[in-house]
Amino acid sequence: MARLRRCLLVLLLVPLFAVPESAAAATSSFRGVNWADARDNYVDGWVIPTGLTAGDSYDSVRGKADGIITGFQTKLGANTVRLPINPQSVNSDWWGRYKGAADSALSHGMKVIFGYWEANKDGFVDDGGAWNTMWDKVTADYGGNGNVYFEPMNEPFGYSLNAWVSLCSTWLSRHSAIPRGRVLISGTGYNDNVTGVGAASALTGTLLSLHFYGFWASDTTRSAWTANLSNRLGSYSSRTIIDEAGAPMTTGLDYSAGHQDGNNFTAYFAATTDLARSRQMGVVYWPGLRSGDTYSITRQSGSGLETNNATGVTQLRWGWGL
């Protein structure tokens, strides 16, 4: 996630004008969590989400994932998991084993979002050839499963809007057998604004993904955060999944009603979940599980999970419409 690295640039990209609210939304069926690598997903090597190890067999990954996925469902009410991929992971023997995580989620009736993280941390696809090979393999393995969704790139901040639309158009043409409604196109910058990609006719019919974090501003009221998020969505709420949003869950903050305004993070999280609920947008929390991350809403406990903040869970479920 590289929060500090992104903060200043995101502030510079925030629109300064208000935009009208979108029409009725259609992404609220995504009640998700990110299952992330403890090192962050920007790794030059295999991505290995918390709880898995590089030495795991397919059966071991599948068994460990069964406990974690069940925890996401029973402790949170999640029905979607976002999994990181990169060419190093997919174009190697790790892929045949790592697929156990996705297969576990699918066997539990979950949706799966595969998202590409680059390793160079410069906002560009690292190697176009390896990236294409990766996506050819992933779509060949999971393109026929209607519960699997594909996000060509996470946080494409190196690209201009036109260059990013062009790259996504090429991806859509190469993988034209995948219905556009199962492709998530990241917003520009750090996934922080979907108005440009939403308006691009070349991307018509795709879903859009937005990231939104409380460290991007210092506001302490829900109204200020609601305006901030609304500007980033423009009129495209109906196509948008907020597939990264999160706040500290291990520091004792109280996210319950009556304790929201007055604190940067509680006001932010209340505004985000309130707007998602009112516009019926999907939210994929960052992270559902990641060791060493104060934002992690769960932690491992035996073969399963426990939650880190009951009020945070309640507020997230509110945003999911539960």
Side-chain angles (χ1 to χ4, degrees):
M1 189 167 53
R3 297 191 185 101
L4 294 177
R5 175 174 57 81
R6 300 189 302 189
C7 185
L8 180 58
L9 286 177
V10 169
L11 288 173
L12 295 174
L13 294 170
V14 176
L16 299 178
F17 50 89
V19 293
E21 183 169 337
S22 68
T27 65
S28 58
S29 63
F30 291 85
R31 305 191 305 269
V33 290
N34 283 271
W35 184 7
D37 192 310
R39 302 164 294 174
D40 207 352
N41 296 335
Y42 289 101
V43 293
D44 188 6
W46 298 350
V47 282
I48 305 172
T50 291
L52 306 181
T53 68
D56 285 338
S57 65
Y58 173 89
D59 288 342
S60 180
V61 170
R62 181 73 180 260
K64 291 178 177 180
D66 283 343
I68 290 168
I69 293 296
T70 297
F72 289 150
Q73 292 179 309
T74 60
K75 299 294 185 178
L76 303 176
N79 70 358
T80 302
V81 62
R82 183 171 179 243
L83 294 173
I85 58 171
N86 61 18
Q88 297 93 321
S89 300
V90 175
N91 303 340
S92 69
D93 68 349
W94 175 235
W95 178 238
R97 294 176 280 145
Y98 182 34
K99 288 196 300 182
D103 294 347
S104 171
L106 293 168
S107 73
H108 284 80
M110 298 271 277
K111 299 181 183 71
V112 172
I113 300 170
F114 285 117
Y116 160 67
W117 266 257
E118 39 107 3
N120 292 337
K121 301 182 182 180
D122 59 3
F124 293 100
V125 170
D126 293 328
D127 179 322
W131 181 70
N132 281 328
T133 299
M134 173 194 73
W135 278 120
D136 288 348
K137 186 174 294 187
V138 174
T139 55
D141 286 349
Y142 290 101
N145 191 314
N147 282 330
V148 179
Y149 295 76
F150 307 95
E151 191 172 20
M153 184 178 182
N154 174 76
E155 299 185 349
F157 59 90
Y159 295 97
S160 67
L161 171 61
N162 288 341
W164 176 231
V165 170
S166 177
L167 184 65
C168 291
S169 298
T170 300
W171 192 100
L172 291 167
S173 295
R174 185 180 182 93
H175 304 288
S176 58
I178 304 297
R180 288 191 171 211
R182 287 171 50 204
V183 180
L184 279 69
I185 300 298
S186 296
T188 48
Y190 290 92
N191 267 70
D192 60 83
N193 192 300
V194 298
T195 58
V197 290
S201 59
L203 306 179
T204 298
T206 64
L207 296 171
L208 309 175
S209 71
L210 181 79
H211 294 179
F212 190 56
Y213 283 106
F215 59 88
W216 289 356
S218 57
D219 298 305
T220 58
T221 65
R222 286 167 291 172
S223 59
W225 280 110
T226 299
N228 188 323
L229 178 54
S230 295
N231 288 341
R232 299 170 186 275
L233 289 163
S235 59
Y236 302 101
S237 297
S238 63
R239 293 168 59 192
T240 301
I241 300 167
I242 303 173
D243 73 358
E244 281 191 27
M249 291 292 163
T250 62
T251 60
L253 287 175
D254 185 349
Y255 292 94
S256 59
H259 300 272
Q260 295 169 342
D261 282 352
N263 175 276
N264 171 237
F265 288 112
T266 58
Y268 146 81
F269 198 53
T272 303
T273 49
D274 284 352
L275 195 64
R277 183 183 178 97
S278 67
R279 297 194 186 182
Q280 301 176 36
M281 290 187 295
V283 176
V284 183
Y285 183 87
W286 177 280
L289 177 64
R290 181 184 175 219
S291 62
D293 191 331
T294 60
Y295 283 38
S296 188
I297 202 165
T298 72
R299 64 185 184 277
Q300 288 187 277
S301 177
S303 61
L305 301 176
E306 292 294 339
T307 59
N308 285 326
N309 187 312
T311 63
V313 171
T314 297
Q315 192 63 34
L316 176 60
R317 286 173 56 85
W318 166 260
W320 283 344
L322 299 178

